[in-house]
Amino acid sequence: MRIAVRAVLFFLVCLTRIGFAQAVHGIGRAYMDTTCAPCQDFYSYANGDWIAHARLPDSHSEVGTLDDLAMKRATTLARILDSLRSAPTVKGPEAKVAKFYSDCMDVSTIEAQGTAPIQPELKRIREVRSLADLEAEVARLHRMQIAPFFMLQALPDAKDSRHIIADISPAGLGLGDKAAYLGTDSESVASRHRYEKEIALTLQVAGESPTTAQMLAEKVMALETRLATATLGMEMGRDPAAVYHKVSLLSLGNSSSGGWSWAEYFRDMGQAGVTAVNVQEPHYLEIFEAALTDVPLPELKAYLTTRYARNATPRLGGGPIDSLLSEFGRGNLAKQSTADRSRYCVDETESHLGWIVGRIYAATAFTPSTRAKAEGMVRNIRGVLRDELKNVAWLSTDSRAEALRKLDSFVVEIGYPNKWPDYSGVEVRSASFWDNVVAANEYQTSLELARIGHAQQLDDWWPGYWPETADAYFNENLNEIVMAAGYMQPPFFDPAADDAFNYGAFGAVIGHEMTHAFDDRGRKFDSGANLREWWSAADKTAFEERSSRAIAQYDQYIAIDTLHLNGRQTLSENLADIGGLKLAYAALERSLAGKQRVALNGYTPEQRFFIAYAQSRRALDGSDYLRDKVMMNVHSPEKWRVVGPIVNMPEFAKAFRCVAGDPMTLSDAERVQLW
Ligand SMILES: [Zn+2]
């Protein structure tokens, strides 16, 4: 509130706008509005000119740095895939990639095939006559990575993290989180209405009459609502202890013949040998099993049809599908430009043959010197965190020792994995594009589930992450930090830029991931990456007292209209942002020790550090997207990812000569002081 009011007042005196040519390396001066005072509104100071000129194209819900990286990734991959497609001599894995991409780009064949590629599976669903048939069909869809009712994954046993076990969690809820099914605000009501209409039209595409489709859509909606109500929801579901319930397969129960059988299900998934399963949400499973017995079979089948068809339609074409997709903003193949189609097909090729694509990408677009430079930064930031853990006053002696062991056990993978997953068995049959998607998904499922019962490999990356991904993460089950090559390019990382820039933009990312190991979630895992309570009651109290300041701080921020951020929902990420920036700053200071501090373009290294950080998070969001983000995302919107951490740093106030009471400062009593 305070920030918003002062920013508005100050806007009246932001009169002149001075344009600068953008530096080739380092901070982008052309993005800044230097007529705004940094201590009043630093986000506008660093990004004001960019924000004033940014435009949101219809096809985008956000533009900004992450979008820039996504575009770069898409352009690089499109270049790679286009050249493979037009090279007739391509062989081996590259040929599979080229074929997959080519089939996706072949719009006229896709349009001509219409709904033919999905007819066999729709027929199978129609022919389901019993719960035993339903089980077999659910397993078929699960192998295709379509997840009605629940999802089976191969995940580390949280209490014995070196071992991979079968894990079942709620899935198949088209609106995502429980809150979307239960919210009474007009937005939620409208989105449910839209979704129900989409189900009805999807069922029509699948062959139902309009009246039956509408009737069944209401039933599907009721079923999803019932299932969603039984989930823990996003906030509770994030607690690793709340989702750990390892049980024997036998205890899951098997109904008499003709009913749902878990043993059959696992057999159908190729996992007949499974004996133990982590059921993330036992209550959800009870409600699911109850629904199997009291929901009429035609309604359960309508739900399966919806899940299947909704997954397939974006990969199909033809009149009814085109209008369905365009009505619900999910792309319309008939109207796509070649560039848009290429972008879509790049994504599809990546998400289905990711490790083949990623390997080509890493060899083409990531240099050993970039990797070496990042390794140096990781070492330096780790050193700062080590000293921090040694000295932090609120952590007890035993916890401190274990925290240091945990820090020392970190595995860091920079750019690409040290060992590449084997994709040699994947098939691209080309009967239809949808068939290619299904074959690749089935292959991925078999690879993933084959890990069950074995020791975890250090090189397993999270699903959906490849070298070209513009992201990083901390995996608590491995004590592993992964920073994908796609993230390590300007405006986050530039080997040719000054250290202040790299620490501000990318050092903050490294620090962010490291502190995740010790936040409200990561702290529940010990140095062996096992779920274990290793903090004393006093440590927890001190942590909670300190982190409650972050909740209060972010709760105050208004993202749009009267919509406040949810400080609790975003707590882990906010703490990582605050801690990460502090660690990166200290690491920069260390790297500058004994060197002359050179001003560039009139900015000290410390100023450039904060400007680089703020610029790395410049973004313009569509209002619906922003609202969704505030409601659903565990990260704060980009602007608050900048303001939230800097106000916690006296180093920022010093660099820009802010005084107590300035909007970009917090008092000692308000500041979050963990690391
Ligand atoms: Zn994070």
Side-chain angles (χ1 to χ4, degrees):
M1 198 64 147
R2 190 180 61 169
I3 288 163
V5 171
R6 294 214 197 163
V8 168
L9 289 178
F10 193 77
F11 184 70
L12 299 174
V13 292
C14 284
L15 292 175
T16 48
R17 197 157 262 160
I18 307 160
F20 293 97
Q22 189 196 347
V24 178
H25 301 288
I27 60 171
R29 294 199 61 187
Y31 301 142
M32 300 172 68
D33 182 354
T34 49
T35 72
C36 286
C39 301
Q40 303 292 314
D41 177 0
F42 189 66
Y43 193 70
S44 296
Y45 173 79
N47 296 311
D49 208 61
W50 180 87
I51 293 167
H53 294 100
R55 295 287 171 268
L56 200 62
D58 285 345
S59 54
H60 286 55
S61 46
E62 181 181 76
V63 288
T65 48
L66 291 175
D67 190 60
D68 285 352
L69 286 191
M71 297 282 269
K72 276 189 198 176
R73 174 191 131 276
T75 313
T76 310
L77 291 181
R79 207 179 54 230
I80 292 172
L81 294 175
D82 278 324
S83 71
L84 286 178
R85 184 158 73 118
S86 51
T89 55
V90 156
K91 292 221 165 32
E94 272 128 348
K96 291 180 183 175
V97 161
K99 210 157 165 33
F100 190 98
Y101 178 67
S102 224
D103 287 347
C104 180
M105 290 297 285
D106 184 0
V107 172
S108 55
T109 300
I110 294 174
E111 290 272 336
Q113 288 178 332
T115 61
I118 58 171
Q119 291 307 329
E121 201 62 44
L122 291 174
K123 183 161 174 279
R124 278 179 174 279
I125 298 174
R126 272 197 301 275
E127 285 169 357
V128 165
R129 302 266 181 265
S130 64
L131 287 181
D133 292 350
L134 187 90
E135 170 278 305
E137 186 56 30
V138 166
R140 270 183 72 79
L141 298 181
H142 282 185
R143 291 199 302 273
M144 296 178 201
Q145 302 204 334
I146 298 167
F149 299 120
F150 62 92
M151 179 160 57
L152 171 66
Q153 290 171 282
L155 290 179
D157 181 338
K159 293 193 176 172
D160 180 13
S161 73
R162 296 297 168 210
H163 292 102
I164 303 285
I165 57 167
D167 182 287
I168 286 178
S169 56
L173 302 169
L175 286 174
D177 192 49
K178 175 181 191 168
Y181 286 88
L182 302 182
T184 50
D185 56 296
S186 58
E187 266 292 311
S188 304
V189 174
S191 109
R192 284 200 293 273
H193 199 74
R194 256 197 322 276
Y195 179 53
E196 192 178 301
K197 201 171 156 201
E198 189 186 340
I199 297 175
L201 286 174
T202 304
L203 288 168
Q204 279 187 57
V205 165
E208 298 291 354
S209 72
T211 322
T212 310
Q214 181 52 42
M215 183 272 289
L216 287 172
E218 285 165 29
K219 302 291 186 191
V220 169
M221 196 63 195
L223 174 61
E224 286 193 26
T225 307
R226 179 176 173 191
L227 293 171
T229 308
T231 63
L232 286 176
M234 197 165 59
E235 249 179 70
M236 285 275 287
R238 278 181 53 72
D239 177 0
V243 293
Y244 188 80
H245 311 93
K246 189 168 147 186
V247 297
S248 76
L249 181 59
L250 288 175
S251 74
L252 280 180
N254 295 301
S255 63
S256 54
S257 79
W260 179 278
S261 155
W262 284 104
E264 279 299 325
Y265 168 77
F266 277 95
R267 208 176 346 263
D268 288 341
M269 295 302 287
Q271 295 301 314
V274 161
T275 51
V277 185
N278 181 45
V279 176
Q280 289 201 13
E281 303 193 17
H283 176 62
Y284 176 86
L285 220 57
E286 274 169 33
I287 299 302
F288 157 64
E289 289 181 337
L292 288 181
T293 60
D294 63 29
V295 174
L297 199 55
E299 294 171 22
L300 296 171
K301 286 159 65 174
Y303 169 73
L304 290 198
T305 302
T306 308
R307 296 315 318 152
Y308 174 72
R310 202 166 176 263
N311 207 286
T313 42
R315 281 77 179 235
L316 305 173
I321 289 172
D322 289 341
S323 47
L324 167 73
L325 293 177
S326 67
E327 182 162 353
F328 294 97
R330 296 173 68 206
N332 181 341
L333 190 121
K335 288 190 185 149
Q336 253 172 3
S337 68
T338 309
D340 283 346
R341 185 67 195 167
S342 164
R343 191 171 167 164
Y344 173 80
C345 291
V346 163
D347 286 352
E348 286 285 85
T349 312
E350 181 189 43
S351 54
H352 294 97
L353 300 173
W355 287 112
I356 305 180
V357 175
R359 199 163 183 166
I360 306 168
Y361 176 91
T364 317
F366 193 64
T367 65
S369 67
T370 305
R371 205 178 202 215
K373 174 130 187 158
E375 274 165 358
M377 287 173 66
V378 167
R379 246 191 326 274
N380 200 359
I381 294 171
R382 197 181 203 166
V384 170
L385 182 53
R386 182 174 291 110
D387 290 350
E388 201 59 47
L389 291 171
K390 268 186 206 157
N391 297 319
V392 70
W394 57 269
L395 213 51
S396 61
T397 314
D398 288 351
S399 303
R400 191 192 308 277
E402 178 65 3
L404 286 166
R405 277 193 293 274
K406 182 167 182 176
L407 180 73
D408 289 334
S409 78
F410 281 178
V411 175
V412 185
E413 295 217 308
I414 299 171
Y416 49 85
N418 295 325
K419 185 166 159 262
W420 295 91
D422 176 13
Y423 255 61
S424 54
V426 71
E427 281 186 79
V428 183
R429 297 185 292 250
S430 289
S432 67
F433 174 56
W434 171 241
D435 187 53
N436 293 347
V437 167
V438 169
N441 283 349
E442 287 173 344
Y443 187 74
Q444 263 175 10
T445 304
S446 67
L447 276 193
E448 190 197 332
L449 298 186
R451 297 162 57 218
I452 293 174
H454 298 282
Q456 175 158 228
Q457 300 299 311
L458 274 179
D459 301 300
D460 289 339
W461 281 24
W462 274 357
Y465 280 78
W466 300 285
E468 65 277 12
T469 307
D471 209 351
Y473 67 82
F474 173 72
N475 180 353
E476 60 221 4
N477 298 117
L478 279 178
N479 271 341
E480 178 189 53
I481 293 170
V482 164
M483 284 171 287
Y487 210 169
M488 302 175 61
Q489 50 181 329
F492 284 93
F493 189 76
D494 181 358
D498 55 300
D499 277 356
F501 169 86
N502 279 320
Y503 276 97
F506 203 70
V509 172
I510 300 171
H512 174 111
E513 300 308 336
M514 284 192 188
T515 66
H516 269 321
F518 307 101
D519 68 14
D520 61 319
R521 186 187 157 91
R523 72 169 179 79
K524 294 181 176 162
F525 294 82
D526 64 13
S527 63
N530 290 318
L531 184 59
R532 176 171 74 84
E533 202 54 84
W534 53 278
W535 279 20
S536 69
D539 294 333
K540 275 189 276 185
T541 308
F543 178 87
E544 272 154 23
E545 191 277 317
R546 280 156 197 267
S547 58
S548 71
R549 293 185 210 170
I551 298 175
Q553 184 200 335
Y554 285 76
D555 271 346
Q556 276 184 43
Y557 295 144
I558 297 174
I560 180 167
D561 303 332
T562 55
L563 184 62
H564 284 253
L565 304 195
N566 179 342
R568 197 167 286 281
Q569 174 186 311
T570 51
L571 179 62
S572 295
E573 296 303 329
N574 296 336
L575 292 179
D577 284 342
I578 296 168
L581 194 66
K582 284 187 181 176
L583 294 178
Y585 183 91
L588 171 68
E589 288 300 303
R590 245 175 227 198
S591 84
L592 293 174
K595 292 184 196 152
Q596 208 189 350
R597 286 168 198 241
V598 189
L600 285 178
N601 293 328
Y603 295 102
T604 65
E606 287 77 9
Q607 289 173 331
R608 297 200 301 278
F609 170 90
F610 288 109
I611 294 168
Y613 177 65
Q615 291 190 339
S616 75
R617 302 238 159 257
R618 64 177 183 274
L620 180 69
D621 294 326
S623 43
D624 285 349
Y625 176 74
L626 186 56
R627 270 191 203 93
D628 284 355
K629 201 166 180 179
V630 173
M631 303 289 291
M632 304 281 293
N633 205 304
V634 291
H635 300 90
S636 297
E638 302 301 288
K639 173 179 175 176
W640 305 108
R641 294 192 68 176
V642 173
V643 172
I646 61 166
V647 298
N648 275 294
M649 291 182 66
E651 298 89 342
F652 169 80
K654 189 168 167 231
F656 287 93
R657 298 201 186 84
C658 305
V659 295
D662 278 344
M664 296 291 110
T665 61
L666 288 178
S667 67
D668 280 353
E670 292 168 316
R671 260 205 313 274
V672 182
Q673 300 186 67
L674 279 165
W675 325 109

